[in-house]
Amino acid sequence: MKDSRRNSSLITTPKTDFGFIWMTVPKNYRESSDDGVFTGLLLGPLIAAGLLISTLRLSSGDNSSSPLPQQWRIEAPAELHNSRDVPTALDALVRARYNLVNLGTFCSTILLLHVCASWYQEYRCLKRGNTAEGERTSVPRSEGRRFLYYILFTLAVTSGIFGLKVLFQQRNFGLWELIFCALFYQLTLYMAIRLAHRVFTLGELGLVCFGGTAVCMEFFNITIARIRPVTTPFIKTYRLPTPLLTFQIALIAGSLLTGFLLSPFLVLSRHIAQRPVRRLRNPQDKPRNQRLLALGFYIGTVLIVGGVIGMWTRWCLGKRDPWLWVIFWLLEGKRKWTRPALLAYWAALGSLSVAGWNRQLARSRRYWHRNSITNETLMASTVPDNPAAQGTEQSGTALAPVLRSSSPSSSGGVVAMAFPALPALSALPNLPNGTQVASDLLDAADKHVPTLGLNARRKFFHALAVVMFIPGIAIDPAFTHLSFSAAFALFVFTEYVRYFAIYPCGAAVHLFMNEFLDHRDRGTAILSHFYLLTGCAGSVWLEGPSQLLQFTGILTLGVGDALASIVGKRIGFHRWSPTTSKTLEGVAEAFSTTRYISVVALSSVLEALSDQNDNLTLPLFMWSLLVVADV
């Protein structure tokens, strides 16, 4: 009731003043009360500035000879040894992060050009009249023309930036870097918004594509340094060039490359799964074709991972076998059993969580199905053939409380208890199929499993992140860094299996994940778990100077955001603005939990006023502010 009162007065912001990428329309973006243009423009440069400031402080301190974060058990960063005046690993990192600030500003400038050009073109075409819902007057309906106009605009922007570089003789970017970054960033914007339909807002799109461009630049700079070690002045990577960075690029970029190379198998698998059997020429061949396509995908994945990606990783590791390197590195923790124990701990928690949710959701589905029977139907079924029979009405009345229970998905609350009231067992044999009814009721009463609302289901994984990741970061942050990268790649392949209905797990994965979706997961791809993982891992991947900073993502999402959501759902009534569902009560709870004083207060305001996915933006924003403020 409280949720319905709050949501009923929620004001929807019209999208006439929203920003858009060139040749895109509102229906390409996720439904949101704000477009997040300031998030897309400012958060990337802010993260880059935070990285640069932390490195400058480290280089000016007494421990400038040790660029690795404290308690990181990993080999020293790679350095180039040639006849030139080669900088140290820390000096090279300072130069690379100056370049990252330039890259962040460069990408934000391109994003701003797209938004302004899109606004201007729409203003010119307003006189043409009304257009269909979700479309724009300035954007043609033909997909081919949209793509052609986008390519022409991309080339025009790249040529204009190239001309400005030559005119002002700027040396912040090399020539090939400027052209490649401009083309890659713009093509990534278009491909992401077209393939991941209704998944991103403009701000989330800009931030994700900036991160993808930065990782791609690290991949190319590592490769160039290996190809030309003599002429390359230093390894221009934005994190320390350790094996952790090599494996992260191999895992994340490699998983995306695998999907691109095997896209024919994926597209055909989804096409066959979507087509009804009656429309197939040979319906009996559908299962066999699905198995063959799945086999091709699995074999192709093994060949690509073991071949192209494995060979590149081996080459970057100095001809060391990556599989053997990982096995031996597992035994190099504080104790030989530390890292295997962490793996076993994570595997046990993950397996128990998935198995437990599968069991709970299966019980919930059975219970919802039982609740779908109306009271009248049950009362009618309890009328005896013998009018002289006594006690039947009491039996039907005793079963009524079970039927009045509501489905957990119908409420946005945190926990909706649904414990059945048992009837008198002596009356059950008089019912039609009374034994089955008695068995079902006793089973439900015996297990006493509460029915969780959607918000509680999602926040369960926030709590799980705290339990899983805090021991790993506290004991061995370097190993947790690599584990985060492996988990991200695993999520990518899981999404392939789910979306493209890969045999035999595609349907099961889709049904499981469908139980945790909210209004932000209505697009083609499901990215909530990616955002949660990235938010927790971001402060570790960014290699913060202190161990406290490495816990920022987990404390923000696992403790602060989860409690803010629960408190806001339960007792929150006073919203920050008419266009957001975030409440003052929820933000106050987050502030009192994380205790980062002014930085947390500023982050809480961002979380309250922005409708971007806070699992992604909030930890990165808070981490950057903590570094800038030297907390």
Side-chain angles (χ1 to χ4, degrees), residues 51-264:
L51 286 169
L52 176 60
I53 291 172
S54 67
T55 311
L56 291 175
R57 290 197 184 113
L58 186 62
S59 63
S60 62
D62 296 334
N63 57 342
S64 58
S65 60
S66 178
L68 285 172
Q70 298 178 0
Q71 299 183 355
W72 281 49
R73 297 179 177 273
I74 189 65
E75 61 190 61
E79 297 181 6
L80 295 178
H81 301 283
N82 49 39
S83 57
R84 295 188 176 192
D85 184 15
V86 181
T88 63
L90 188 57
D91 292 335
L93 187 63
V94 171
R95 298 185 189 181
R97 289 184 172 176
Y98 271 115
N99 184 266
L100 179 62
V101 174
N102 294 329
L103 177 63
T105 308
F106 181 68
C107 292
S108 295
T109 303
I110 292 177
L111 182 63
L112 183 61
L113 286 174
H114 275 258
V115 173
C116 293
S118 181
W119 274 338
Y120 176 73
Q121 184 68 10
E122 182 67 15
Y123 175 77
R124 288 183 56 194
C125 299
L126 283 177
K127 298 180 181 179
R128 295 181 182 178
N130 297 328
T131 184
E133 183 180 359
E135 298 287 344
R136 305 180 74 214
T137 310
S138 59
V139 180
R141 303 296 293 272
S142 172
E143 294 291 341
R145 291 179 62 190
R146 289 183 185 182
F147 182 70
L148 176 61
Y149 292 162
Y150 189 87
I151 292 297
L152 294 176
F153 184 79
T154 298
L155 295 176
V157 170
T158 305
S159 301
I161 294 175
F162 175 75
L164 291 176
K165 173 182 171 57
V166 174
L167 179 63
F168 294 100
Q169 298 181 353
Q170 291 293 321
R171 297 184 179 181
N172 296 332
F173 267 144
L175 180 62
W176 77 269
E177 284 181 302
L178 183 142
I179 296 175
F180 176 80
C181 288
L183 293 176
F184 183 85
Y185 180 71
Q186 294 180 85
L187 291 177
T188 304
L189 287 174
Y190 190 79
M191 291 177 62
I193 202 63
R194 298 300 297 161
L195 295 178
H197 189 63
R198 301 182 68 86
V199 170
F200 299 106
T201 63
L202 178 65
E204 295 164 0
L205 177 68
L207 180 60
V208 169
C209 292
F210 165 68
T213 304
V215 172
C216 187
M217 288 300 301
E218 288 181 318
F219 163 74
F220 277 109
N221 288 327
I222 289 178
T223 305
I224 290 173
R226 293 291 301 174
I227 295 175
R228 300 186 303 177
V230 177
T231 58
T232 302
F234 62 94
I235 305 176
K236 191 188 296 184
T237 57
Y238 311 128
R239 279 87 52 81
L240 291 171
T242 62
L244 294 177
L245 180 59
T246 302
F247 275 99
Q248 184 183 71
I249 295 174
L251 288 167
I252 297 179
S255 61
L256 300 176
L257 176 65
T258 301
F260 175 77
L261 295 178
L262 299 178
S263 56

Side-chain angles (χ1 to χ4, degrees), residues 358-376:
N358 270 325
R359 188 173 181 84
Q360 200 269 353
L361 293 174
R363 293 170 181 167
S364 298
R365 292 190 192 103
R366 290 199 301 267
Y367 193 62
W368 302 341
H369 178 70
R370 185 187 310 144
N371 289 344
S372 63
I373 307 174
T374 62
N375 290 346
E376 292 79 6

Side-chain angles (χ1 to χ4, degrees), residues 276-547:
V277 175
R278 66 179 183 275
R279 298 182 60 183
L280 296 176
R281 180 174 301 179
N282 299 312
Q284 67 278 6
D285 294 338
K286 181 176 180 178
R288 181 174 63 88
N289 293 336
Q290 287 181 307
R291 292 186 179 92
L292 290 176
L293 289 172
L295 181 63
F297 171 75
Y298 295 138
I299 293 177
T301 299
V302 171
L303 293 177
I304 294 174
V305 172
V308 177
I309 300 174
M311 291 174 60
W312 181 84
T313 308
R314 177 188 177 91
W315 178 56
C316 292
L317 291 176
K319 298 183 179 180
R320 291 178 291 178
D321 186 88
W323 310 103
L324 292 178
W325 187 93
V326 170
I327 293 174
F328 286 115
W329 192 60
L330 282 173
L331 304 177
E332 296 179 4
K334 291 183 179 181
R335 302 286 189 273
K336 287 188 176 182
W337 50 266
T338 303
R339 289 172 177 172
L342 278 175
L343 278 181
Y345 174 71
W346 292 332
L349 277 182
S351 301
L352 290 175
S353 300
V354 173
W357 272 113
N358 270 325
R359 188 173 181 84
Q360 200 269 353
L361 293 174
R363 293 170 181 167
S364 298
R365 292 190 192 103
R366 290 199 301 267
Y367 193 62
W368 302 341
H369 178 70
R370 185 187 310 144
N371 289 344
S372 63
I373 307 174
T374 62
N375 290 346
E376 292 79 6
T377 303
L378 184 60
M379 292 296 293
S381 66
T382 57
V383 176
D385 295 332
N386 183 7
Q390 301 294 329
T392 308
E393 289 186 10
Q394 287 79 358
S395 175
T397 305
L399 284 171
V402 181
L403 303 173
R404 288 194 294 267
S405 302
S406 60
S407 169
S409 61
S410 63
S411 172
V414 180
V415 179
M417 294 296 183
F419 298 121
L422 288 176
L425 297 181
S426 59
L428 287 176
N430 296 326
L431 296 173
N433 198 17
T435 304
Q436 182 62 37
V437 175
S439 176
D440 291 344
L441 292 175
L442 289 173
D443 180 73
D446 179 64
K447 294 178 174 59
H448 283 74
V449 178
T451 302
L452 299 181
L454 177 60
N455 189 60
R457 295 183 195 178
R458 295 173 66 89
K459 297 311 175 184
F460 166 81
F461 289 99
H462 287 242
L464 181 64
V466 175
V467 177
M468 288 186 70
F469 300 143
I470 281 185
I473 297 178
I475 297 173
D476 200 331
F479 182 66
T480 308
H481 182 295
L482 180 60
S483 301
F484 278 140
S485 302
F488 192 97
L490 180 62
F491 281 2
V492 172
F493 282 104
T494 303
E495 186 63 13
Y496 290 156
V497 171
R498 182 202 68 84
Y499 181 74
F500 295 103
I502 302 297
Y503 180 86
C505 303
V509 173
H510 179 77
L511 291 175
F512 177 80
M513 298 185 67
N514 192 58
E515 300 291 342
F516 305 93
L517 305 185
D518 67 356
H519 65 281
R520 291 175 293 188
D521 293 316
R522 296 176 181 174
T524 54
I526 300 176
L527 299 184
S528 289
H529 51 302
F530 287 94
Y531 289 157
L532 178 60
L533 177 67
T534 304
C536 294
S539 53
V540 179
W541 286 343
L542 295 176
E543 300 172 355
S546 68
Q547 192 173 16

